[in-house]
Amino acid sequence: MLTTDNLKKIEKGRRAHIYCKVTEIALFVATGGFLEEGNRLLQELWKFKRRHERDTWLADTAFTVLWSAAGAVPADVPFELGDIDEIERSMRNYIAIDKWAYEMPAMPWTSLSGVNLVRKAFITAGMFKNRALPVQENYEDVTDFMNDTLQAVNLQPEDEFPVAYKELLALEMIERLAEEEYDSDEAYALGAELAAKNDQPDSAIKLAKHWAKAPVRPALIAGGRHIAPLLLQGVIAEDLGLNKDNVNEYLEEAIIALNKSTMKRGWFSWAGF
């Protein structure tokens, strides 16, 4: 993430791309425990008073969680901060949902592996739906059926977290995935959050370190309400290759690139350049 190529993208890219890239870098270092440094980079970006990019919504959510965990919010945040309780529900529903939806093999979870074990963990840890899914045979219009199905799957106010037993069972499944070295950033982000929520910090850190092996989407783990305090302690900083010196050195270069970029110039703002 802290690469020369990204510095070039900041200096030479279009405004929308610059906005997203700088936000991404800020979240990456914050996820490694360098929240103040991430905030500093964000404020350098926000000082240009450009339109806030909607594509950063997931990073915005993760920063809201990290700021809540830290007990402090930086000045001039250009987006509305969400409610932490609602964010916790939304993040669970965002990750722990069966995105594959093909028929599961009829066998105990202990016999599953790979994507089927991921699916089983997500289904087990998913939000409890206090309603049944629509049955297509009851509909004459397929559009009505699809609309009602989407409504049922999306997060609703009456949806509940599963009981602790199910969360711990899902955690056990994800720990099995880690033993198999299966690659799933979503699974390890969810597992770290489940472990932290259920007072298993050692397991939470172990799974966070598994996530850090391929840290493509920091918002998945930084948006976890219960794992966020551990992240702010720098538990995966070394795994991400971060330390105080290289973070500050890179941010200085990023700020220089940002101040040379089209964010500072006034032309083509209508087109998002």
Side-chain angles (χ1 to χ4, degrees), residues 86-102:
E86 286 303 309
I87 288 175
E88 182 182 3
R89 287 160 44 81
S90 296
M91 288 300 296
R92 178 70 65 89
N93 201 58
Y94 183 75
I95 297 177
I97 188 169
D98 186 4
K99 306 170 182 66
W100 299 268
Y102 60 81

Side-chain angles (χ1 to χ4, degrees):
M1 182 64 68
L2 307 189
T3 64
T4 301
D5 185 56
N6 279 338
L7 292 175
K8 292 177 181 177
K9 289 178 181 178
I10 293 171
E11 184 173 344
K12 304 293 185 181
R14 295 175 56 180
R15 285 182 182 168
H17 296 163
I18 294 168
Y19 203 104
C20 292
K21 181 56 65 177
V22 171
T23 302
E24 184 181 353
I25 292 169
L27 182 58
F28 181 79
V29 300
T31 302
F34 298 95
L35 181 59
E36 290 185 8
E37 289 78 1
N39 288 345
R40 177 187 168 205
L41 183 58
L42 286 179
Q43 290 181 308
E44 288 290 335
L45 174 66
W46 296 339
K47 75 181 182 183
F48 296 108
K49 305 295 183 183
R50 300 298 179 188
R51 180 189 64 209
H52 186 65
E53 289 295 327
R54 288 177 294 180
D55 287 345
T56 65
W57 69 269
L58 191 55
D60 297 343
T61 299
F63 267 115
T64 301
V65 172
L66 292 173
W67 293 331
S68 176
V73 178
D76 302 320
V77 175
F79 57 87
E80 184 176 353
L81 301 181
D83 177 78
I84 294 299
D85 290 338
E86 286 303 309
I87 288 175
E88 182 182 3
R89 287 160 44 81
S90 296
M91 288 300 296
R92 178 70 65 89
N93 201 58
Y94 183 75
I95 297 177
I97 188 169
D98 186 4
K99 306 170 182 66
W100 299 268
Y102 60 81
E103 187 175 354
M104 287 283 288
M107 59 180 65
W109 76 262
T110 51
S111 299
L112 298 175
S113 63
V115 67
N116 285 326
L117 188 52
V118 172
R119 288 183 65 199
K120 189 66 173 178
F122 286 3
I123 292 168
T124 304
M127 299 294 289
F128 177 72
K129 305 289 183 180
N130 286 311
R131 61 200 177 283
L133 289 175
V135 177
Q136 187 168 1
E137 287 75 12
N138 297 335
Y139 289 78
E140 293 182 3
D141 189 331
V142 68
T143 302
D144 291 341
F145 168 69
M146 292 299 296
N147 288 338
D148 286 354
T149 299
L150 287 173
Q151 180 74 6
V153 170
N154 289 337
L155 185 64
Q156 300 296 325
E158 65 270 22
D159 292 347
E160 301 173 1
F161 287 106
V163 295
Y165 164 76
K166 284 196 169 184
E167 291 191 334
L168 291 171
L169 184 59
L171 173 59
E172 191 175 351
M173 297 175 192
I174 295 169
E175 289 173 331
R176 172 75 66 84
L177 287 166
E179 292 172 4
E180 297 174 357
E181 294 293 337
Y182 186 79
D183 183 13
S184 174
D185 61 343
E186 290 182 317
Y188 297 133
L190 175 63
E193 172 68 3
L194 292 174
K197 180 181 179 182
N198 288 280
D199 300 318
Q200 297 191 24
D202 291 343
S203 179
I205 293 170
K206 182 178 179 180
L207 290 172
K209 287 178 177 291
H210 269 277
W211 173 87
K213 293 179 180 180
V216 180
R217 296 181 288 177
L220 294 181
I221 194 165
R225 180 181 193 173
H226 301 278
I227 189 62
L230 288 173
L231 297 178
L232 293 180
Q233 295 174 27
V235 296
I236 59 171
E238 184 176 353
D239 304 88
L240 296 177
L242 301 177
N243 58 61
K244 195 81 170 176
D245 291 337
N246 67 12
V247 167
N248 282 312
E249 181 180 348
Y250 190 85
L251 291 195
E252 290 298 333
E253 294 177 355
I255 291 169
I256 290 171
L258 189 55
N259 282 311
K260 291 180 179 179
S261 73
T262 56
M263 297 296 289
K264 193 171 183 178
R265 300 195 286 273
W267 40 271
F268 291 155
S269 60
W270 60 271
F273 286 91

